[in-house]
Amino acid sequence: MINMMIGFFKDYFKYKEAAKKQQKWMNKYCKQKGYAINPSWMMATNLKSNLCEMEATFGKRYCPCFEPSGDKALDKKMMCPCEYVEDEIKEYGTCHCALFGPADLSKEQWKASSRRLMEEYQVPKNLKNGVLDTRGMPLDPRRGLPVPDMMHQVKAVLNGYKDDTLKVIVEREQEAHNLEDIAAYRGYGCSWEQKDGLIEATLKLKP
Ligand code: SF4
């Protein structure tokens, strides 16, 4: 928990200025649609920081909850605000990431959707002896992508990780490319290879 809070505040200060740009389009979007932004300062701030990080890492404003899939059509649909908002509001009360919801959503409904999201992401990670196996997570029914995805699993493990290297097993080549982008943005080394029917990447966290 303490490592999560340290990570939250690091990102908050890092993206403080860039987040103002996110706030502007979000306000405009909410006004047009009759939506509101999650009233929890921590949730909204975290999601705005994540949007800034997605833009800085992958060059586009992808959904803060899903790394790019490599499928151009799907990735276009996942640009925030994504094409799933209305449908997900019907199911969860808010969009998947609990960033947007109807303006008249009650505090309890916001909290319930935020809790659902946290439960989806705070699952045990398969980390053993410096090897994180990211495969086998449940798939989001609309996007067909894992929740939590490789990116969120790696980020969660790196919060407070002390070793110099982390090996990451991924399912698809696109995830290995995403890991390269994440590593480049964070100043880590990254290499990967296909072996025995799986892809194993190595993150070098220290020079
Ligand atoms: S689920 Fe919410 S935060 Fe994610 S892309 Fe869609 S609108 Fe944006």
Side-chain angles (χ1 to χ4, degrees):
M1 189 64 180
I2 185 83
N3 289 329
M4 241 175 78
M5 291 307 290
I6 292 169
F8 168 85
F9 280 107
K10 263 191 191 166
D11 285 350
Y12 169 66
F13 289 112
K14 184 173 179 182
Y15 297 116
K16 207 171 168 193
E17 282 311 306
K20 289 181 188 165
K21 198 182 92 187
Q22 307 290 354
Q23 186 72 48
K24 271 193 187 166
W25 74 258
M26 284 161 55
N27 289 345
K28 208 168 150 194
Y29 173 70
C30 284
K31 205 171 164 190
Q32 277 168 1
K33 295 281 187 179
Y35 291 161
I37 297 165
N38 195 314
S40 153
W41 179 80
M42 284 206 76
M43 282 293 293
T45 301
N46 194 34
L47 288 161
K48 274 186 280 181
S49 295
N50 289 346
L51 275 170
C52 294
E53 190 175 22
M54 292 303 276
E55 236 177 344
T57 306
F58 300 111
K60 288 186 180 162
R61 200 173 67 210
Y62 290 117
C63 177
C65 296
F66 295 95
E67 64 187 285
S69 68
D71 172 334
K72 278 189 184 164
L74 177 58
D75 288 345
K76 200 171 164 209
K77 286 184 190 173
M78 292 202 301
M79 302 277 285
C80 189
C82 66
E83 288 198 6
Y84 307 100
V85 182
E86 279 182 36
D87 200 29
E88 291 181 327
I89 282 176
K90 282 183 202 147
E91 183 176 352
Y92 307 128
T94 70
C95 68
H96 173 272
C97 306
L99 179 58
F100 298 116
D104 60 356
L105 201 69
S106 70
K107 269 193 177 172
E108 287 66 35
Q109 287 169 306
W110 277 108
K111 275 187 189 162
S113 192
S114 302
R115 214 166 31 242
R116 167 206 44 89
L117 181 73
M118 305 289 275
E119 282 167 6
E120 279 181 17
Y121 284 82
Q122 287 174 356
V123 292
K125 311 294 179 291
N126 192 1
L127 176 68
K128 273 185 210 136
N129 304 323
V131 182
L132 173 67
D133 189 343
T134 64
R135 299 170 299 167
M137 290 294 170
L139 298 181
D140 172 77
R142 292 176 178 82
R143 299 158 183 84
L145 297 175
V147 184
D149 59 10
M150 175 281 297
M151 177 181 71
H152 285 85
Q153 294 182 62
V154 168
K155 278 170 71 174
V157 165
L158 287 181
N159 269 334
Y161 190 76
K162 298 277 186 269
D163 290 351
D164 291 0
T165 59
L166 175 67
K167 286 196 183 294
V168 184
I169 297 173
V170 301
E171 193 118 43
R172 296 174 301 116
E173 210 174 301
Q174 179 60 35
E175 292 168 309
H177 291 305
N178 289 345
L179 198 56
E180 286 177 323
D181 288 343
I182 293 164
Y185 179 62
R186 291 186 168 216
Y188 303 150
C190 179
S191 58
W192 58 271
E193 59 179 337
Q194 271 176 327
K195 61 175 191 188
D196 305 328
L198 52 81
I199 300 172
E200 187 181 278
T202 303
L203 281 181
K204 282 201 189 318
L205 306 169
K206 290 180 189 152

